[in-house]
Amino acid sequence: IYDSTTTSSRWNQIGGNISIDGNDINFGFSVSLNNSGDRIAIGSYGMFAVCDYNNSSWNQIHLESSNTVYTLGQYVELSGNVYKFGQYVELSSNGNILAVSSHTADTVYIYSSNFQNKSTIRADELGLGQEYFGFGMSLSYDGNTIAIGAIRADTNALTDNGIVNVYDYDYDYAS
């Protein structure tokens, strides 16, 4: 990660390289920074990681794969396997909300409260088929609104022309 300051005419790396062990996972397929640049979400095939910067290095605070979660210093096994889970990530500007897609499963996962709470938006619950729902996403500044692309959706008698749906978080429903 690089930073450009007004006193310098070049980009300076912040901390060291961020990496993770694994073959063919394409770590860094997608990345998203919070507004202050001290939290990053990193997507790859089958997993995502979240790291915080502490003025000298990047520290992993959350790692989740399609079958394992690392959070609060421990690994927790999950059931099931979601192909391409984590390939696309989007962090809210304040860094408190994270959207993670599994577009081949047509599902977007929304994480909040330090990654302890997870909700889902699933294409099949919306009457959509296998349309790569979640191939593109964008969160609002506060993370309460999300736009989700489905690039293979058929509309107006056209094949794979795609759609975008926008959702607001319903606090009344959640309570």
Side-chain angles (χ1 to χ4, degrees), residues 26-81:
N26 292 47
F27 188 71
F29 189 92
S30 66
V31 294
S32 182
L33 282 168
N34 68 349
N35 193 44
S36 60
D38 61 358
R39 175 168 284 177
I40 186 169
I42 306 164
S44 68
Y45 291 159
M47 71 173 59
F48 73 92
V50 179
C51 301
D52 282 348
Y53 184 68
N54 67 3
N55 293 321
S56 64
S57 64
W58 291 97
N59 299 302
Q60 180 180 294
I61 62 166
H62 191 83
L63 171 69
E64 188 165 330
S65 71
S66 57
N67 58 7
T68 305
V69 175
Y70 173 83
T71 190
L72 301 175
Q74 64 182 353
Y75 285 93
V76 178
E77 293 296 319
L78 302 175
S79 62
N81 185 16

Side-chain angles (χ1 to χ4, degrees), residues 23 35 38 53 62 81 100 106 123 137-138 151:
N23 291 322
N35 193 44
D38 61 358
Y53 184 68
H62 191 83
N81 185 16
V100 178
D106 289 308
M137 310 179 287
S138 182
I151 64 169

